[in-house]
């Protein structure tokens, strides 16, 4: 089960401790239901995943399966659009939570930044007070999911 809140960002929060930096490419085989493939390069190591997500915003079922490179590329060949590119950074928040930040399609007209915070419970998610730099909470905003972005920018 995935429990997370999503926020707009204007820049990476460079004042926070950086835990990880990765390059990600992802594409959607389906958006209803959400079926995504992703490659992630961290420190020169590349991993591949297939992810299936259920309906929902704050809370939704998520199943991730590891893929080998061959299966990833075979699935990538089935995509209806170009892969989304992300510059991903993981930061430590002062309260102990981890902040997942992404610059999406950097250097293009569609570039934007967002952040997510994952929680172990709905209660904790609902009581979380975000730092001011996070900006607008878009967790429940229609069209703010990455699958909706895929539809707007890759399929139209």
């Amino acid at each position: 089960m995935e429990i997370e809140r999503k926020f707009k960002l204007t820049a990476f929060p460079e004042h926070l401790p950086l835990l990880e930096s990765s390059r990600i490419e992802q594409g959607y085989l389906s958006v209803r239901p959400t079926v995504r493939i992703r490659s992630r390069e961290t420190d020169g190591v590349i991993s591949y995943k297939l992810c299936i997500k259920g309906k929902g915003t704050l809370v939704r079922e998520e199943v991730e399966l590891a893929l080998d490179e061959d299966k990833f590329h075979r699935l990538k060949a089935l995509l209806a659009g170009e892969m989304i590119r992300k510059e991903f950074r993981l930061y430590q928040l002062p309260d102990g939570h981890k902040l997942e930040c992404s610059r999406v399609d950097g250097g293009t007209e569609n570039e934007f930044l967002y952040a997510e915070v994952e929680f172990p419970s709905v209660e904790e998610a609902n009581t979380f007070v975000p730092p001011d730099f996070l900006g607008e909470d878009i967790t429940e905003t229609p069209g703010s999911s990455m699958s909706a972005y895929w539809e707007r920018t890759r399929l139209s």
Side-chain angles (χ1 to χ4, degrees), residues 6-99:
K6 187 172 184 176
F7 302 89
K8 283 186 178 180
L9 274 183
T10 56
F12 285 118
E14 304 291 353
H15 63 284
L16 295 175
L18 179 64
L19 303 175
E20 179 186 316
S21 181
S22 301
R23 290 184 326 153
I24 293 174
E25 289 189 334
Q26 66 187 48
Y28 292 80
L29 296 162
S30 170
V31 294
R32 284 176 210 86
T34 300
V35 180
R36 173 188 80 203
I37 59 169
R38 173 184 276 180
S39 69
R40 181 179 193 148
E41 182 178 352
T42 307
D43 297 326
V45 177
I46 302 174
S47 62
Y48 304 97
K49 300 249 176 164
L50 171 69
C51 180
I52 303 158
K53 294 188 177 197
K55 292 181 183 179
T57 51
L58 177 66
V59 180
R60 63 183 173 168
E61 188 66 35
E62 178 181 57
V63 177
E64 283 192 338
L65 304 169
L67 294 173
D68 63 33
E69 185 177 8
D70 178 63
K71 284 187 181 71
F72 173 82
H73 286 290
R74 289 171 57 199
L75 290 170
K76 182 178 175 181
L78 300 175
L79 297 176
E82 180 183 331
M83 298 283 273
I84 294 170
R85 288 169 178 71
K86 291 184 178 182
E87 179 183 347
F88 174 85
R89 296 184 188 176
L90 181 66
Y91 296 94
Q92 183 72 55
L93 288 172
D95 70 359
H97 288 100
K98 301 227 179 352
L99 183 68

Side-chain angles (χ1 to χ4, degrees), residues 114-156:
Y114 73 94
E116 296 174 325
V117 180
E118 291 195 17
F119 301 94
S121 70
V122 172
E123 294 75 27
E124 190 173 325
N126 287 331
T127 59
F128 175 72
V129 178
D132 289 339
F133 70 85
L134 283 181
E136 181 185 354
D137 184 332
I138 57 172
T139 306
E140 303 291 341
T141 303
S144 66
S145 70
M146 287 305 300
S147 59
Y149 174 75
W150 170 267
E151 284 186 297
R152 280 193 311 274
T153 62
R154 291 348 195 235
L155 304 182
S156 53

